């Protein structure tokens, strides 16, 4: 009986240690992920503070976001003055054919257009892709899950950031919040760059 008691106590101790180690591992992974998220927000803020070069800010923001979220491809579109057309201004991990197909789109079309129209992040699996015209190109890239968030500044939609992965993925509420923050930072940076460009043009005239 004594031996049985010792064995059971030992098993309980081992189980307790395993649970503790698993909790520590989860905590460590959460901290690493949180640091990645903070790093992308910092990178975008720093890039926009150091330069008013719109293209540089967009490229840096897209690269930082893809790295922080572990995704393979993405693009950023900006709204044209007509308020209905969006133009692809930055992209990574996309084929030339895909870039040509998505170079210009209407608000409400595709993931970017839907995020801009709804003014909130959108996450979809490819079978639910909203644009019949663009769906074949999305499927051809082998994408499985897509996410997009609007670029906002003072409540004004300036464009959208879209991301894609070739494996099914669920985006957590925390990641959706991160996308919202990225969209607001990039939107503010885009607005500042456009205002600066407008002033420079006026001075040159």
């Amino acid at each position: 009986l004594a031996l049985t008691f010792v064995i059971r106590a030992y098993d309980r101790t081992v189980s307790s240690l395993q649970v503790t180690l698993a909790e520590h591992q989860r905590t460590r992974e959460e901290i690493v992920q949180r640091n990645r998220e903070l790093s992308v927000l910092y990178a975008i803020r720093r890039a926009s503070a150091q330069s008013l070069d719109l293209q540089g800010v967009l490229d840096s923001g897209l690269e930082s976001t893809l790295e922080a979220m572990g995704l393979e491809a993405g693009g950023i579109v900006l709204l044209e003055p007509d308020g209905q057309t969006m133009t692809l201004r930055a992209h990574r991990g996309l084929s030339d054919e895909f870039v040509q197909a998505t170079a210009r789109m209407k608000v409400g079309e595709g993931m970017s257009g839907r995020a801009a129209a709804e003014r909130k992040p959108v996450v979809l699996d490819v079978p639910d892709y909203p644009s019949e015209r663009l769906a074949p190109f999305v499927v051809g890239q082998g994408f499985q899950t897509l996410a997009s968030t609007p670029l906002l500044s003072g409540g004004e939609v300036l464009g959208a950031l879209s991301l894609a992965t070739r494996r099914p993925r669920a985006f957590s509420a925390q990641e959706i919040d991160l996308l919202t923050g990225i969209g607001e930072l990039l939107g503010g940076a885009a607005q500042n760059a456009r205002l600066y460009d407008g002033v420079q043009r006026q001075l040159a005239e």
Side-chain angles (χ1 to χ4, degrees):
L1 290 176
L3 180 58
T4 300
F5 176 80
V6 170
I7 291 174
R8 289 177 178 174
Y10 174 79
D11 288 342
R12 287 195 297 269
T13 300
V14 170
S15 297
S16 178
L17 286 173
Q18 289 175 337
V19 170
T20 301
L21 288 173
E23 290 175 347
H24 281 309
Q25 180 64 21
R26 285 195 297 270
T27 301
R28 180 180 179 279
E29 291 173 355
E30 290 172 358
I31 291 173
V32 170
Q33 180 60 32
R34 184 56 178 166
N35 286 339
R36 288 176 180 168
E37 294 170 358
L38 292 174
S39 70
V40 65
L41 296 175
Y42 174 74
I44 295 172
R45 188 181 298 277
R46 181 181 60 184
S48 60
Q50 292 179 343
S51 172
L52 288 172
D53 172 38
L54 178 58
Q55 191 60 51
V57 171
L58 297 179
D59 289 337
S60 175
L62 178 57
E63 289 179 0
S64 299
T65 302
L66 291 174
E67 181 179 354
M69 304 192 76
L71 300 175
E72 302 99 285
I76 297 177
V77 296
L78 293 183
L79 192 65
E80 294 296 326
D82 63 9
Q84 295 298 320
T85 306
M86 297 188 299
T87 302
L88 185 64
R89 293 292 302 270
H91 60 85
R92 293 291 182 276
L94 304 175
S95 69
D96 292 340
E97 182 182 25
F98 188 90
V99 169
Q100 291 175 5
T102 59
R104 292 177 69 83
M105 64 182 68
K106 296 293 185 180
V107 172
E109 183 182 25
M111 288 293 291
S112 297
R114 181 170 172 178
E118 296 183 5
R119 295 171 174 259
K120 65 180 183 180
V122 177
V123 178
L124 290 175
D125 291 326
V126 166
D128 300 320
Y129 191 75
S131 174
E132 183 177 346
R133 179 180 76 85
L134 299 177
F137 298 98
V138 174
V139 173
Q141 294 290 293
F143 295 141
Q144 296 292 320
T145 304
L146 309 169
S148 186
T149 191
L151 306 189
L152 300 170
S153 178
E156 177 185 359
V157 176
L158 298 178
L161 162 70
S162 291
L163 309 168
T165 175
R166 293 182 174 86
R167 61 186 185 280
R169 171 169 175 169
F171 284 75
S172 66
Q174 184 172 320
E175 288 176 320
I176 298 299
D177 288 342
L178 174 62
L179 286 177
T180 300
I182 290 172
E184 292 173 352
L185 280 177
L186 286 175
Q191 182 74 318
N192 290 338
R194 282 184 166 180
L195 291 174
Y196 176 77
D197 184 60
V199 171
Q200 293 298 104
R201 289 183 179 181
Q202 290 179 358
L203 294 176
E205 293 177 353

